[in-house]
Amino acid sequence: MSTLAGRTIAALRSEHDTLAGLVPALSADQLTGPSGASAWTVADVLSHLGSGAEITLAGFRAAVGEAEAPGPDFNQGVWDRWNALDPQDQATGEVASDQALVTALEAVPEDRHEELRVRTFLPDPVPFALFAALRLSEVSQHSWDVRVGLDPSATLADDSTELLAEHLSGGLGFLLGFIGKPKAITEPAVIEISGTPYSIVVDDSVRLTTESLPATATFNGPLESALRLLYGRLNPEYTPDDLTVTGNVTLDELRATFPGF
């Protein structure tokens, strides 16, 4: 598919297929072992992804007229049910729940991608591409949380990296307002991400942009590492050895600016 929504859904399918191929082989010790999310086990992350897929699908089905809108207690009920599952059932359930969501998104005809609006936690319904991007934002990072718990050298998927950067420099940019703590640095900075059209701007707020701005610093590392930085996932143990930041801001200051959720 050539639409932004279609490309985003394709990235979601790729993320799903990766986890679906990985999760069934995980041992009990791996499921209850640490993930890239410091407070969660691998099973905790999978439970979060599975419950999130169920909640997202319910909202989507309401938007396309297939079901009534979920009630005010729906989300909490879903979370409580998933939290009560044992780790193996959380893992198995995640694969099935995410499969149902991705299949439903794939079923939307391309000629509806531009006009479809979906209600989320935001005040107004959002374009279908942004709705899919919200899910990709969640899945790409948490898929990494699972994979890095098994392999410390894991990176974000290439297709997710490109799509997420495109969305964060566009309609999804508001998320950085929730994530970023601009007061963590002492002076405004424009940090170019080497080898890409993107820069991280930190002043009164934070944003990712493709605007041509005078750089005050350079992030010398891959785009996927820069995106993990934005989501609070570039801890020293997960930072490439040759990654550096030069200019008027340090890597540690950037880590403090983007502590994650």
Side-chain angles (χ1 to χ4, degrees):
M1 290 184 179
S2 59
T3 66
L4 180 56
R7 290 187 287 121
T8 306
I9 294 165
L12 286 170
R13 167 56 67 185
S14 180
E15 292 281 7
H16 170 81
D17 289 347
T18 296
L19 282 184
L22 175 67
V23 167
L26 296 182
S27 68
D29 286 345
Q30 287 173 318
L31 286 172
T32 57
S35 73
S38 59
W40 285 352
T41 66
V42 167
D44 290 334
V45 175
L46 292 170
S47 178
H48 179 74
L49 282 174
S51 61
E54 183 176 340
I55 290 167
T56 301
L57 179 58
F60 175 73
R61 292 183 65 216
V64 297
E66 294 180 354
E68 295 293 324
D73 299 325
F74 176 77
N75 290 9
Q76 190 60 56
V78 171
W79 292 325
D80 289 344
R81 175 162 40 81
W82 279 83
N83 288 340
L85 296 174
D86 65 41
Q88 185 61 60
D89 287 339
Q90 289 174 329
T92 302
E94 188 281 330
V95 174
S97 183
D98 193 60
Q99 171 66 28
L101 172 60
V102 174
T103 299
L105 298 180
E106 289 173 330
V108 177
E110 189 168 352
D111 60 9
R112 291 200 64 198
H113 285 186
E114 300 301 330
E115 55 87 12
L116 182 61
R117 297 291 186 272
V118 185
R119 186 167 293 282
T120 66
F121 61 89
L122 296 169
D124 299 314
V126 303
F128 186 42
L130 181 53
F131 178 76
L134 285 166
R135 179 62 181 172
L136 182 62
S137 174
E138 185 108 1
V139 169
S140 63
Q141 304 301 317
H142 287 313
S143 173
W144 178 84
D145 287 335
V146 170
R147 291 182 290 107
V148 83
L150 310 172
D151 175 10
S153 66
T155 60
L156 299 182
D158 290 344
D159 50 356
S160 292
T161 294
E162 296 297 332
L163 263 296
L164 192 54
E166 184 175 349
H167 281 294
L168 286 171
S169 62
L172 195 62
F174 71 89
L175 275 185
L176 298 181
F178 298 135
I179 299 172
K181 310 296 181 186
K183 293 183 179 179
I185 66 172
T186 58
E187 61 181 304
V190 177
I191 307 102
E192 62 181 1
I193 303 171
S194 61
T196 81
Y198 297 102
S199 294
I200 303 167
V201 179
V202 184
D203 44 34
D204 292 335
S205 60
V206 298
R207 68 185 189 276
L208 183 70
T209 185
T210 56
E211 296 176 71
S212 181
L213 300 172
T216 66
T218 301
F219 182 95
N220 298 292
L223 181 60
E224 76 84 26
S225 295
L227 291 187
R228 286 194 287 113
L229 169 71
L230 296 179
Y231 283 84
R233 285 170 165 78
L234 197 65
N235 295 340
E237 63 268 35
Y238 302 131
T239 300
D241 291 339
D242 58 352
L243 188 153
T244 62
V245 174
T246 58
N248 73 329
V249 65
T250 68
L251 179 55
D252 283 341
E253 286 176 321
L254 288 175
R255 287 179 175 135
T257 303
F258 299 101
F261 289 106

